[in-house]
């Protein structure tokens, strides 16, 4: 036992004297000791900590112990969901600072676009760069800018179109040369970060930091990834290349929008002839861009996403004209006398160059080991290059640079093995620890696996799912979360529902936060959701008593990135279904399964309506990757067991982080 940690976590330790309701959890103590050993030995560590272990305090306390001495420098804690990020900075770290570590400094690190730029706000005010109809919001923003301490978007939440004109953008920042530097919200935030030992951020900003050449966050020696099951997906996005119609439109609007707002409108010294000439080039690029991305959409046809298998699939009709525009912007830089204008002109010229380079990379498939693909998502059409094996990039760019890296989540193992996550992240050399949840799942949960349901893909599949969900709701009376793997199926099943006395809430009708609050407030409601609700949803107590998993969450094999990764595994002589798709689906399945039991007093039902879990050989792998629970196979037994369960449990609240 590590003596200083026993002083915190042991019976009668410091936590028991300052944390109301503290209970000694051996799993929490074991995890803390393993984390501290990894920190001191500079060894990478992967920890699966089941629900209720209290993993936040189990890594925060050893982490603070390690960095507070001064020699270990600074540490980053990175999360995936905003909910966990808020828990760390609004609850856990303030508690530790107040009660155990009064000298520790911590800071929340957000992307720079979350901060108000006083210079851009002043320019928008002076030059009228906001659109007609924005006057009211602009007045509110100006008033708020006089009183805000943080300058953060979340304080006021204006429209995106307005905020994009006044937020901080890294390449438009003038740094110490800015006349608003002393009062800059972003610079104040960076100053707090530099003075802090613990930085809390999210996976997106962390990998933006790596992609930028380590230029976003202050220097650090250690990183803890909580919700580490999402690291591969986020890293793949940020280590790839993308061009889209929305990016091109934003670039052109920043030069001169159709409403005649933008950089050119600010340059009072620009004569009419030159203004008109550059404006004509902007419109030419805009027109070529619209034609190019329309051609891409036509090529996609009815497919939402499609792989680009060869170079030259699309003729580049954009970059020649965009390069002409870039050259004209460069001439403006030479002509400008004002330092602020020169900085802004240079940033725009550089954005043109980056878009040109990205187009060439994607169309000419200039990166080895990447899959090239295109997708239409609403009004956005994009072309992307995504690394097939992100572990091959993460190993030299992260794990060989930062040591130690701690990865933790409630869902990292498959059948007790960490082979899948280690292989995907390129982290062969890492210690591992698997900690079961301290909760009594066999007493708290019923796993309902009904018989007689049609197999996925059958003609009567949707109707079978609908009827079973209806039967379950007849038992629970609501308080049920129904999880789908895609919107199409969600909408089809939801369209069949004819429920009396039960409110139906559906993803897409409002933001997730609003839907969850409505769900909690109405004890007779059902919430239908897709992947957004498979993780990060925390509804303890009686508000949630049933989770329905309609389908095992296998990735679509024809998805371009999935297809390329499966091909790569086949070339290595591996079975891509069992080495990739099954373990990936199990980890997501465990996330959905974990939505129900959040505290020691929670109880209820998890229903799995995909008959493959019983009929296919791989179904056993799903069942062997979750805690031991009582399995019920018919509705009469389920009703009897559920009524008995309700008598034995009353809702409670979790402590111990």
């Amino acid at each position: 036992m590590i003596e200083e940690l026993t002083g915190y976590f042991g019976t009668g330790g410091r936590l028991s004297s300052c944390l109301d309701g503290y209970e000694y959890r051996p799993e929490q103590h074991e995890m803390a000791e393993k984390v501290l050993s990894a920190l001191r030995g500079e060894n990478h560590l992967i920890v699966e900590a089941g629900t209720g272990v209290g993993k936040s305090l189990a890594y925060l306390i050893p982490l603070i112990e390690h960095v507070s001495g001064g020699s270990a420098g600074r540490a980053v804690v990175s999360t995936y969901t905003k909910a966990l990020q808020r828990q760390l900075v609004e609850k856990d770290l303030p508690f530790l600072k107040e009660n155990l570590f009064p000298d520790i400094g911590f800071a929340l690190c957000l992307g720079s676009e979350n901060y108000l730029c006083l210079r851009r706000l002043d320019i928008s005010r002076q030059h009228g760069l906001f659109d007609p109809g924005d006057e009211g919001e602009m007045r509110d923003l100006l008033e708020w800018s006089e009183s805000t301490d943080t300058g953060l978007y979340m304080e006021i939440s204006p429209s995106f179109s307005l905020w994009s004109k006044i937020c901080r953008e890294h390449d438009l920042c003038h740094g110490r040369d800015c006349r608003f530097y002393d009062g800059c919200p972003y610079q104040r935030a960076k100053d707090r970060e530099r003075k802090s030992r613990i930085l809390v951020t999210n996976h997106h900003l962390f990998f933006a930091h790596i992609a930028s050449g380590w230029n976003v966050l202050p220097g650090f020696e250690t990183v803890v990834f909580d919700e580490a099951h999402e690291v591969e997906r986020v890293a793949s996005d940020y280590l790839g290349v993308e061009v889209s119609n929305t990016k091109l439109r934003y670039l052109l609007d920043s030069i001169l929008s159709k409403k005649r707002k933008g950089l050119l409108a600010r340059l009072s010294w620009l004569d009419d002839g030159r203004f008109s000439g550059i404006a004509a080039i902007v419109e030419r690029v805009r027109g070529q861009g619209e034609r190019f991305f329309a051609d891409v959409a036509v090529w996609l046809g009815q497919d939402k996403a499609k792989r680009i298998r060869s170079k030259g699939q699309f003729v580049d009709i954009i970059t020649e004209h965009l390069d002409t525009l870039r050259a004209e912007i460069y001439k403006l830089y030479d002509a400008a006398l004002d330092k602020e204008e020169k900085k802004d002109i240079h940033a725009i010229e550089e954005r043109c160059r980056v878009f040109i380079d990205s187009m060439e990379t994607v169309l000419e498939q200039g990166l080895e080991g990447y899959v090239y693909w295109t997708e239409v998502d609403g009004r956005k059409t994009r072309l992307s290059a995504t690394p097939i094996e992100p572990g091959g990039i993460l190993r030299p760019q992260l794990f060989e640079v930062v040591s130690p890296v701690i990865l933790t989540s409630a869902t990292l193992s498959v059948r007790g093995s960490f082979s899948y996550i280690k292989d995907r992240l390129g982290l062969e050399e890492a210690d591992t620890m698997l900690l079961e949840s301290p909760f009594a799942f066999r007493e708290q949960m019923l796993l309902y696996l009904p018989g007689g349901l049609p197999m996925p893909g059958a003609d009567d599949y949707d109707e079978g799912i609908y009827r079973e969900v209806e039967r379950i709701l007849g038992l629970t009376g609501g308080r049920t979360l129904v999880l789908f793997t895609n919107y199409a199926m969600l909408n089809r099943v939801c369209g069949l529902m004819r429920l009396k006395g039960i409110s139906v809430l559906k993803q897409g009708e409002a933001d997730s936060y609003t839907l969850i609050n409505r769900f909690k407030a109405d004890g007779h409601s059902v919430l239908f959701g897709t992947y957004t609700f498979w993780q990060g949803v925390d509804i303890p107590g009686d508000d949630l008593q049933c989770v329905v998993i309609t389908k095992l969450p296998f990735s679509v094999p024809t998805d371009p990135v999935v297809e390329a990764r499966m091909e790569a595994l086949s070339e290595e002589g591996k079975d891509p279904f069992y080495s990739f798709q099954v373990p990936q689906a199990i980890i997501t399945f465990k996330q959905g399964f974990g939505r129900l039991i959040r505290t020691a007093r929670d109880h209820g039902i998890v229903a799995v309506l995909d008959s493959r879990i019983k009929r296919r050989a791989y179904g056993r792998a799903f069942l062997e990757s979750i805690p031991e629970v009582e399995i019920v196979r018919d509705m009469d037994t389920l009703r009897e067991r559920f009524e008995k369960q309700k008598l034995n449990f009353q809702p409670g609240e979790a402590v111990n982080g």
Side-chain angles (χ1 to χ4, degrees), residues 281-298:
I281 301 172
V282 169
E283 288 310 303
R284 188 159 70 244
V285 177
R286 195 186 302 278
Q288 293 297 91
E290 289 171 356
R291 280 188 285 276
F292 175 85
F293 287 104
D295 288 345
V296 172
V298 168

Side-chain angles (χ1 to χ4, degrees), residues 50-231:
T51 308
V53 166
K55 59 183 169 61
S56 300
L57 293 186
Y59 63 71
L60 284 175
I61 288 177
L63 194 63
I64 295 172
E65 272 282 349
H66 186 60
V67 302
S68 59
S71 59
R74 188 182 288 114
V76 169
V77 178
S78 179
T79 76
Y80 179 70
T81 62
K82 289 181 180 178
L84 179 55
Q85 193 177 63
R86 291 187 64 176
Q87 176 193 316
L88 292 173
V89 298
E90 295 176 10
K91 178 184 174 185
D92 296 338
L93 284 164
F95 163 78
L96 292 173
K97 182 175 179 67
E98 180 180 353
N99 294 281
L100 300 176
F101 303 99
D103 297 328
I104 195 66
F106 63 90
L108 174 63
C109 302
L110 299 170
S112 67
E113 69 280 358
N114 288 279
Y115 292 91
L116 172 69
C117 174
L118 296 174
R119 186 184 71 85
R120 297 186 76 204
L121 176 66
D122 185 60
I123 290 171
S124 292
R125 180 183 59 80
Q126 285 188 43
H127 295 274
L129 297 181
F130 49 90
D131 294 328
D134 286 342
E135 293 88 347
E137 268 197 302
M138 194 66 180
R139 282 194 298 270
D140 292 341
L141 273 165
L142 288 168
E143 183 178 338
W144 166 74
S145 69
E146 298 292 332
S147 59
T148 179
D149 289 326
T150 68
L152 284 171
Y153 170 83
M154 66 183 71
E155 283 188 4
I156 191 167
S157 299
S159 65
F160 173 77
S161 62
L162 178 56
W163 184 255
S164 65
K165 296 180 179 70
I166 60 171
C167 68
R168 195 261 179 185
E169 294 188 342
H170 70 93
D171 57 349
L172 295 177
C173 181
H174 290 204
R176 293 186 179 276
D177 293 332
C178 180
R179 62 188 189 277
F180 294 98
Y181 181 83
D182 291 340
C184 174
Y186 178 76
Q187 296 300 337
R188 288 202 300 264
K190 299 308 288 185
D191 186 56
R192 286 191 296 271
E193 291 174 18
R194 287 188 289 268
K195 293 176 180 176
S196 298
R197 290 285 185 179
I198 304 291
L199 304 179
V200 179
T201 188
N202 59 59
H203 298 348
H204 295 86
L205 187 63
F206 184 89
F207 286 104
H209 174 66
I210 292 182
S212 72
W214 299 74
N215 289 321
V216 176
L217 300 170
F220 56 88
E221 286 68 42
T222 302
V223 59
V224 175
F225 289 108
D226 203 338
E227 301 176 310
H229 57 279
E230 287 286 357
V231 164

Side-chain angles (χ1 to χ4, degrees), residues 490-547:
L490 182 155
N491 288 327
R492 291 195 303 268
V493 173
C494 196
L496 294 169
M497 288 291 164
R498 299 292 183 269
L499 302 172
K500 293 183 179 179
I502 296 178
S503 304
V504 176
L505 303 172
K506 187 173 74 168
Q507 182 177 343
E509 293 176 337
D511 63 87
S512 303
Y513 181 79
T514 299
L515 286 174
I516 290 171
N517 283 337
R518 289 178 186 170
F519 179 78
K520 290 178 178 179
D522 184 350
H524 299 284
S525 63
V526 55
L527 175 55
F528 292 84
T530 60
Y531 281 117
T532 301
F533 291 90
W534 285 70
Q535 63 179 324
V537 174
D538 194 9
I539 310 175
D542 269 347
D543 291 334
L544 178 63
Q545 290 196 354
C546 181
V547 173

Side-chain angles (χ1 to χ4, degrees), residues 305-516:
K306 197 170 179 180
R307 194 165 168 187
I308 306 170
R309 293 187 173 274
S310 59
K311 301 177 183 180
Q313 177 65 57
F314 304 107
V315 177
D316 181 1
I317 60 173
I318 297 175
T319 59
E320 179 182 355
H321 303 285
L322 185 57
D323 193 49
T324 299
L325 178 60
R326 183 203 60 75
E328 290 299 317
I329 298 292
Y330 184 79
K331 292 175 185 176
L332 294 180
Y333 177 85
D334 286 339
L337 299 177
D338 182 85
K339 287 177 63 177
E340 283 194 25
E341 289 181 350
K342 289 181 86 72
K343 171 74 176 179
D344 292 348
I345 291 167
H346 175 73
I348 296 296
E349 190 257 340
E350 179 65 11
R351 289 182 186 183
C352 293
R353 186 194 61 78
V354 169
F355 193 95
I356 291 168
D357 289 348
S358 298
M359 277 284 287
E360 182 179 355
T361 296
V362 174
L363 296 182
E364 296 303 316
Q365 303 192 356
L367 295 171
E368 295 244 354
Y370 281 65
V371 55
Y372 298 86
W373 56 287
T374 185
E375 176 186 46
V376 172
D377 184 7
R379 295 182 179 181
K380 180 177 181 178
T381 302
R382 65 170 174 161
L383 290 85
S384 301
T386 302
I388 296 173
E389 299 293 346
I393 301 174
L394 288 173
R395 187 166 50 251
Q397 292 196 24
L398 174 60
F399 298 120
E400 292 177 2
V401 178
V402 178
S403 185
V405 176
I406 313 292
L407 300 107
T408 186
S409 170
T411 57
L412 290 174
S413 70
V414 175
R415 279 178 144 171
S417 169
F418 291 95
S419 297
Y420 172 75
I421 195 73
K422 292 172 78 171
D423 182 59
R424 297 308 307 160
L425 297 181
L427 192 54
E428 290 82 4
E429 299 298 324
D431 295 334
T432 61
M433 173 177 252
L434 177 58
L435 296 167
E436 301 287 350
S437 169
F439 296 154
F441 277 85
R442 189 160 185 83
E443 287 73 42
Q444 291 178 250
M445 178 189 287
L446 299 165
L447 179 60
Y448 179 45
L449 304 179
L453 287 174
M455 291 281 280
D459 291 341
D460 58 346
Y461 177 63
D462 288 349
E463 186 175 349
I465 297 300
Y466 144 68
R467 294 196 182 282
E468 196 61 51
V469 170
E470 196 173 53
R471 293 175 71 199
I472 292 168
L473 290 171
L475 172 61
T476 64
R479 295 174 295 180
T480 298
L481 173 63
V482 185
L483 299 175
F484 294 84
T485 58
N486 60 72
Y487 274 111
M489 182 181 171
L490 182 155
N491 288 327
R492 291 195 303 268
V493 173
C494 196
L496 294 169
M497 288 291 164
R498 299 292 183 269
L499 302 172
K500 293 183 179 179
I502 296 178
S503 304
V504 176
L505 303 172
K506 187 173 74 168
Q507 182 177 343
E509 293 176 337
D511 63 87
S512 303
Y513 181 79
T514 299
L515 286 174
I516 290 171

